[in-house]
């Protein structure tokens, strides 16, 4: 019998047989999330307006997020042991725990809620408000990503985890939010100490001591995970997880290659769905994501060959740090202003901008640490600027939009220096844009429009002027 | 050729009518609760001030700017107020290379090239400090009739109070405390002006703040803010005769360019 949710799930790439075989799980999930027929209608209109549903790959990607949501919401009832990690995360330990037991569910629940309750249902606010009411109050400069996690648990729509992998790898507030979950619900927690600071100019090199230290931290966290979950990590868990995620990484590289085209073949709104999935799911979401990507790569390849894109040919090309995780309207403002966005920082870290790991290590922790250290996020401002420089050449960029939020220390602290050095090193304009990438309540699309449109006009004028000089 | 620029800001609506590159008429009025009514009212008034008997539908081109730029039905096109302020200031003062625009709800620092194009800019984020609203709140608490009347009072102070908060709400609290301590009203007012200028100066860090610098927007009518901006930046600021209409003027100038392009086509 048809359910009130069938049309929306079909729109989000579910096949009829998938809906039928999962009907009871879908129903149970929607009940828990308090999503009724009216929500489906509203979500249907929202998805059609803000996602490129003419691409089957995009619809499947939305479906991949919904599948991750179902697995997350029902994990406890289905007897899983649950592990949460923060975003952006050192993904390796989570992947290894996930690969070691079918009974363990490992995910970044805040990102799952952002991409489903935000990007699909446009109903994230009550969850954020629950986070605010449970230890992360408004007006106290709390990150809304962590509010989503705490709020989701507090509202009882996502389960209390059995183990938390906390890391100040990128953000020190994430591990503090995990502290809060531990304090409220008694969740065992393992902290992976961050060693992000490196000497200016050190990257792409780095001291082996840093790998050893971080590796020891990861090994300790894995041991604690084994104890908390009552599992034994398989000796080949890292190889298994790396191998299983290889198609995803390979496809990301292909997608980055397709985004070199002018016009760019797809909105960065859709690629954000991909890059976030790669850092949030270790289970069905990522597996379904691989299938979606296979379709998407073919579709975009066709668009590129036909010269079809989402912005005008010759539009100024800008790189952004990250697409909005919960509200597609915010990212769309950039494209609505006539700017092509071929790359984000995270996407770039997969496609040709990452350096190859060096050195030989034996323990899982060290192997993961060595891999993580090849990414710019682990090395502070200087390494990030190196990545942006490489991206400039790869993507033929005309400028950068460096988003920051006043209460996000990793990005707010470097925003001024980053703008200055980027302008110096690349000679390209940088728009330093205050934005909350996880919550559009205070930084709505409309509030950003004037800055983005002015920047777009500046870049167009520069291009016109450069083409006149070329002509002369 | 008759064109118009209309700037619907947070607090006021402004319109400028240009006839063959000469300002033929302009008007300024509060936005009120309905931007469409404000837009119609201000353009009608500006047209009336031209002395020509013409209605808005007879204009060759209308370009809108400001917060409500995309909601003005009679406008042919829109542009951001940053682009328009650059054009407008450059038109009146061709040597303009740097602009501080302080409006009702926002403040902007704009670098301008020799053609009047914006080449770099910074605009305030979620903060009212350094805007007209900040001064209005302070005028209210210090019982000064209007924001522009505060300026001359600020200039009388020899010992401005130090207002350290950059947040309007916290700055208001500071004023209350300082007032309770018996600080002189003119010193409090001067402190408010200096705090506002300081906030704008901090915001503009990273831009090339070079002469000729022009101060635009409604706040530019306040002589106290001008004085403290000059102290903070260490350069003189030129204030156009009617600084509040510079955005609308720039919009009219861009409108004129569009008309010229249409004629060429």
């Amino acid at each position: 019998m048809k359910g009130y949710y069938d049309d929306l799930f079909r729109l989000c790439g579910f096949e009829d047989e998938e809906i039928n075989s999962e009907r009871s799980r879908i129903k149970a999930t929607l009940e828990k999330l308090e999503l009724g027929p009216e929500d489906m209608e509203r979500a249907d209109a929202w998805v059609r307006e803000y996602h490129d549903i003419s691409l089957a790959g995009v619809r499947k990607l939305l479906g991949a997020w919904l599948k991750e949501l179902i697995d997350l919401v029902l994990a406890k009832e289905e007897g899983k042991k649950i592990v949460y990690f923060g975003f952006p995360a050192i993904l390796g330990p989570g992947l290894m725990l996930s690969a070691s037991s079918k009974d363990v569910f490992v995910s970044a629940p805040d990102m799952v809620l952002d991409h489903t309750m935000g990007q699909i249902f446009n109903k994230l606010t009550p969850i954020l408000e629950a986070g605010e009411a449970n230890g992360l109050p408004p007006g106290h400069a709390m990150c809304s990503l962590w509010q989503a996690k705490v709020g989701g648990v507090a509202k009882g729509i996502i389960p209390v985890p059995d183990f938390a992998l906390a890391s100040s790898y990128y953000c020190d507030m994430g591990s503090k939010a995990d502290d809060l979950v531990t304090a409220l619900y008694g969740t065992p927690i393992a902290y992976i100490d961050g060693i992000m600071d490196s000497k200016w100019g050190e990257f792409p090199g780095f001291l082996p001591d840093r790998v050893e230290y971080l590796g020891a931290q990861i090994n300790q966290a894995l041991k604690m995970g084994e104890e908390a979950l009552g599992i034994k990590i398989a000796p080949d868990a890292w190889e298994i997880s790396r191998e299983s995620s290889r198609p995803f990484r390979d496809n990301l590289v292909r997608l980055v290659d397709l985004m070199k085209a002018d016009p760019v073949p797809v909105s960065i709104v859709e690629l954000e769905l991909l890059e976030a999935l790669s850092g949030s799911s270790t289970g069905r979401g990522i597996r379904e994501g691989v299938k979606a990507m296979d379709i998407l790569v073919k579709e975009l390849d066709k668009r590129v060959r036909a010269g079809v894109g989402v912005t005008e040919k010759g539009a100024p090309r800008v790189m952004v740090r990250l697409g909005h995780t919960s509200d597609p309207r915010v990212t769309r403002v950039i494209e609505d202003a006539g700017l092509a966005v071929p790359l984000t920082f995270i996407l770039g870290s997969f496609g040709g901008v990452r350096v190859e790991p060096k050195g030989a290590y034996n323990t899982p922790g060290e192997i993961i640490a060595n891999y993580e250290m090849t990414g710019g996020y682990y090395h502070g401002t200087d390494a990030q600027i190196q990545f942006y420089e490489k991206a400039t050449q790869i993507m033929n960029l005309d400028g950068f939009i460096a988003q920051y939020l006043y209460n996000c220390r990793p990005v707010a602290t470097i925003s001024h220096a980053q703008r200055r050095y980027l302008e110096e090193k690349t000679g390209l304009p940088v728009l330093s844009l205050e934005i909350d990438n996880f919550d559009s309540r205070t930084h709505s699309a409309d509030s950003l429009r004037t800055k983005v449109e002015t920047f777009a006009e500046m870049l167009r004028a520069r291009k016109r002027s450069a083409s006149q000089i070329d002509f002369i | 050729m008759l064109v118009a620029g209309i700037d619907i800001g947070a607090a006021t609506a402004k319109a400028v009518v240009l006839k063959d590159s000469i300002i033929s008429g302009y008007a300024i009025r509060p936005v009120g609760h309905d931007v469409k009514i404000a837009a119609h009212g201000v353009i009608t008034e500006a047209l009336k001030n031209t002395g020509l008997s013409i209605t808005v539908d007879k204009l060759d081109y209308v370009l809108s700017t400001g917060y409500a730029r995309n909601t003005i039905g009679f406008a042919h096109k829109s542009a951001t107020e940053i682009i328009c302020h650059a054009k407008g200031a450059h038109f009146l003062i061709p040597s303009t290379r740097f602009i501080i625009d302080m409006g009702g709800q926002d403040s902007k620092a704009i670098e301008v090239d020799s053609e009047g194009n914006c080449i770099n800019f910074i605009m305030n984020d979620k903060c009212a400090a350094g805007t007209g609203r900040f001064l209005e709140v302070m005028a209210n608490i210090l019982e000064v009739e209007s924001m522009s009347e505060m300026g001359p009072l600020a200039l009388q102070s020899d010992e401005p109070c130090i207002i350290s908060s950059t947040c309007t709400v916290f700055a208001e609290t500071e004023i209350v405390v300082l007032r309770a301590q018996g600080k002189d009203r003119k010193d409090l007012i001067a402190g408010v002006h200096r705090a506002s200028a300081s906030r704008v100066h901090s915001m503009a860090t990273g831009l090339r703040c070079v002469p000729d610098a022009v101060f635009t927007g409604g706040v530019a009518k306040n002589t106290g803010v001008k004085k403290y901006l000059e102290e903070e930046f260490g350069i003189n600021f030129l204030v156009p005769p009617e600084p509040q209409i510079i955005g609308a003027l720039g919009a009219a100038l861009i409108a004129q360019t569009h008309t010229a392009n249409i004629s060429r086509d």
Side-chain angles (χ1 to χ4, degrees):
Chain A
M1 199 174 76
K2 193 183 169 194
Y4 63 89
Y5 43 79
D6 282 28
D7 289 343
L8 179 74
F9 276 64
R10 212 172 284 122
L11 181 68
C12 293
F14 273 66
E15 303 297 333
D16 284 344
E17 49 275 26
E18 286 179 313
I19 297 173
N20 287 329
S21 68
E22 249 189 287
R23 198 166 286 286
S24 60
R25 297 184 80 228
I26 294 171
K27 221 174 145 194
T29 302
L30 295 178
E31 275 171 17
K32 217 163 202 185
L33 294 167
E34 296 176 346
L35 294 169
E38 282 177 14
D39 295 304
M40 298 303 122
E41 276 178 35
R42 209 177 43 244
D44 191 287
W46 176 264
V47 167
R48 285 178 195 278
E49 185 163 0
Y50 295 112
H51 287 285
D52 191 347
I53 55 157
S54 66
L55 294 166
V58 168
R59 296 203 304 275
K60 289 279 180 196
L61 261 177
L62 292 168
W65 278 107
L66 282 174
K67 286 169 185 168
E68 184 75 10
L69 176 72
I70 294 167
D71 292 354
L72 166 66
V73 169
L74 302 179
K76 188 74 89 183
E77 286 155 36
E78 293 177 346
K80 304 279 188 196
K81 289 181 178 166
I82 299 155
V83 181
Y84 288 164
F85 58 84
F87 178 92
I90 302 170
L91 203 56
L95 285 167
M96 286 182 69
L97 291 173
S98 182
S100 297
S101 169
K102 285 193 172 116
D103 296 328
V104 176
F105 176 81
V106 187
S107 186
D110 30 34
M111 288 295 274
V112 179
L113 291 172
D114 272 21
H115 286 84
T116 51
M117 295 305 283
Q119 293 234 16
I120 296 174
F121 295 104
N122 187 24
K123 225 178 167 183
L124 187 66
T125 298
I127 299 171
L128 297 175
E129 286 169 350
E132 288 170 349
N134 284 277
L136 301 173
H140 286 227
M142 299 297 179
C143 175
S144 32
L145 191 61
W146 313 137
Q147 285 174 339
K149 181 193 285 185
V150 173
V153 175
K155 274 177 82 71
I157 58 176
I158 59 171
V160 174
D162 297 293
F163 182 56
L165 274 169
S167 167
S168 51
Y169 149 66
Y170 185 64
C171 160
D172 56 357
M173 206 190 287
S175 51
K176 298 291 178 286
D178 288 322
D179 271 354
L180 182 62
V181 174
T182 294
L184 292 172
Y185 305 102
T187 303
I189 186 167
Y191 298 97
I192 301 170
D193 273 0
I195 46 165
M196 191 174 163
D197 301 321
S198 56
K199 286 179 200 160
W200 197 274
E202 184 184 66
F203 188 76
F206 45 84
L207 289 172
D209 300 15
R210 295 179 69 196
V211 175
E212 286 159 22
Y213 179 78
L214 180 60
Q217 291 281 313
I218 294 171
N219 284 333
Q220 191 182 327
L222 288 170
K223 201 173 166 204
M224 286 178 72
E226 284 183 323
E227 285 165 13
L229 302 168
I231 62 164
K232 190 81 195 151
I233 290 175
D236 55 352
W238 174 241
E239 284 74 25
I240 291 169
S241 56
R242 285 285 293 161
E243 206 47 50
S244 65
S245 60
R246 187 180 300 282
F248 198 94
R249 294 195 308 276
D250 289 348
N251 269 338
L252 272 178
V253 173
R254 287 167 69 197
L255 277 171
V256 170
D257 206 42
L258 287 166
M259 293 303 275
K260 291 175 186 166
D262 179 21
V264 292
V266 71
S267 166
I268 207 71
V269 167
E270 319 308 350
L271 293 195
E272 193 280 330
L273 292 172
L274 270 175
E275 65 185 24
L277 197 56
S278 72
S280 308
S281 166
T282 64
R284 190 157 69 133
I286 200 85
R287 290 195 298 275
E288 293 293 321
V290 170
K291 291 181 202 166
M293 284 172 92
D294 281 337
I295 298 166
L296 190 61
V297 165
K298 283 178 194 138
E299 289 178 320
L300 297 190
D301 189 50
K302 266 188 194 168
R303 280 190 174 183
V304 169
R305 284 171 199 276
V308 173
V310 291
T311 46
E312 278 184 19
K313 189 173 170 60
R317 296 162 71 85
V318 297
M319 179 174 168
V320 301
R321 185 191 300 278
L322 176 70
H324 205 280
T325 61
S326 64
D327 188 342
R329 292 173 301 186
V330 179
T331 313
R332 284 254 186 258
V333 164
I334 300 170
E335 288 159 346
D336 289 348
L339 295 174
V341 189
L343 198 64
T344 62
F345 187 89
I346 295 178
L347 206 56
S349 72
F350 286 96
V353 188
R354 183 179 276 273
V355 296
E356 285 305 312
K358 287 175 188 163
Y361 293 95
N362 296 320
T363 70
E366 286 171 331
I367 292 166
I368 292 168
N370 192 35
Y371 175 76
E372 292 290 343
M373 297 283 283
T374 62
Y377 268 126
Y378 235 114
H379 300 271
T381 312
D382 169 50
Q384 292 189 31
I385 290 166
Q386 287 186 42
F387 274 54
Y388 282 115
E389 269 186 282
K390 273 191 183 178
T392 308
Q393 295 148 14
I394 292 169
M395 287 295 175
N396 193 23
L397 298 176
D398 297 298
F400 300 92
I401 296 184
Q403 302 113 308
Y404 73 97
L405 182 63
Y406 79 99
N407 61 321
C408 179
R409 281 178 291 235
V411 291
T413 316
I414 67 166
S415 66
H416 179 67
Q418 191 169 55
R419 176 181 176 145
R420 189 179 132 198
Y421 283 106
L422 262 178
E423 283 175 345
E424 276 177 18
K425 292 240 180 186
T426 65
L428 297 177
V430 180
L431 174 63
S432 202
L433 187 67
E434 178 160 4
I435 178 175
D436 186 337
N437 264 314
F438 309 113
D439 176 10
S440 57
R441 286 177 300 172
T442 52
H443 291 81
S444 67
D446 283 333
S447 72
L448 303 169
R449 207 173 294 281
T450 296
K451 290 173 193 168
V452 174
E453 286 183 2
T454 304
F455 188 62
E457 186 49 41
M458 262 174 58
L459 295 185
R460 277 191 288 272
R462 273 175 67 100
K463 275 190 88 116
R464 279 196 297 270
S465 158
S467 67
Q468 278 162 8
I469 291 165
D470 287 349
F471 182 73
I472 292 162
Chain B
M1 188 187 302
L2 208 58
V3 298
I6 182 161
D7 176 3
I8 308 296
T12 53
K14 288 81 68 176
V16 170
V17 180
L18 276 188
K19 186 167 187 279
D20 301 328
S21 298
I22 293 167
I23 298 174
S24 179
Y26 71 87
I28 304 168
R29 60 157 57 193
V31 171
H33 71 282
D34 189 321
V35 291
K36 285 179 183 164
I37 292 171
H40 271 284
V42 79
I43 192 79
T44 306
E45 197 179 326
L47 284 167
K48 193 178 161 194
N49 291 342
T50 64
L52 305 166
S53 110
I54 191 165
T55 50
V56 66
D57 55 313
K58 299 295 179 206
L59 287 165
D60 292 304
Y61 206 97
V62 180
L63 194 127
S64 57
T65 188
Y67 279 104
R69 63 184 175 276
N70 295 321
T71 63
I72 311 304
F74 58 82
H76 296 87
K77 210 171 174 178
S78 67
T80 70
E81 52 270 37
I82 298 169
I83 300 289
C84 292
H85 272 271
K87 288 286 178 202
H90 176 264
F91 177 75
L92 294 178
I93 304 168
S95 52
T96 302
R97 292 295 176 275
F98 181 66
I99 301 168
I100 292 293
D101 168 51
M102 290 173 72
Q105 192 174 291
D106 57 37
S107 51
K108 309 164 193 95
I110 309 165
E111 275 184 49
V112 183
D113 70 8
S114 57
E115 304 293 316
N117 297 310
C118 161
I119 51 172
N120 207 347
F121 71 96
I122 290 184
M123 185 175 171
N124 69 318
D125 290 303
K126 297 280 172 193
C127 174
T131 70
R133 186 67 195 140
F134 176 81
L135 293 168
E136 270 175 16
V137 169
M138 301 310 157
N140 185 44
I141 196 167
L142 293 165
E143 293 183 313
V144 184
E145 199 60 33
S146 71
M147 187 182 68
S148 55
E149 281 176 35
M150 287 174 89
L153 291 170
L155 295 179
Q156 290 170 23
S157 168
D158 294 322
E159 206 178 337
C161 293
I162 293 168
I163 313 290
S164 48
S165 279
T166 54
C167 165
T168 304
V169 177
F170 293 154
E172 189 178 355
T173 309
E174 265 190 271
I175 295 282
V176 170
V177 172
L178 290 166
R179 190 180 57 183
Q181 288 171 1
K183 296 285 182 193
D184 192 281
R185 183 168 171 247
K186 63 178 184 299
D187 294 335
L188 287 169
I189 292 171
V192 164
H193 284 67
R194 191 161 69 179
S196 188
S198 169
R199 168 73 180 148
V200 172
H201 179 246
S202 304
M203 181 187 77
T205 306
L207 293 193
R208 288 189 327 118
C209 313
V210 294
D212 278 346
V214 176
F215 186 18
T216 67
V219 180
K221 292 176 179 175
N222 181 312
T223 49
V225 177
K226 178 178 178 289
K227 178 201 164 181
Y228 286 110
L229 275 180
E230 288 175 339
E231 271 188 24
E232 290 285 341
F233 282 89
I235 52 175
N236 291 326
F237 278 89
L238 306 170
V239 179
E242 179 41 273
Q244 210 167 356
I245 63 162
I246 302 304
L249 172 61
L253 289 162
I254 300 169
Q256 196 168 256
T257 317
H258 282 291
T259 324
N261 289 342
I262 292 165
S263 306
R264 262 206 304 278
D265 294 343

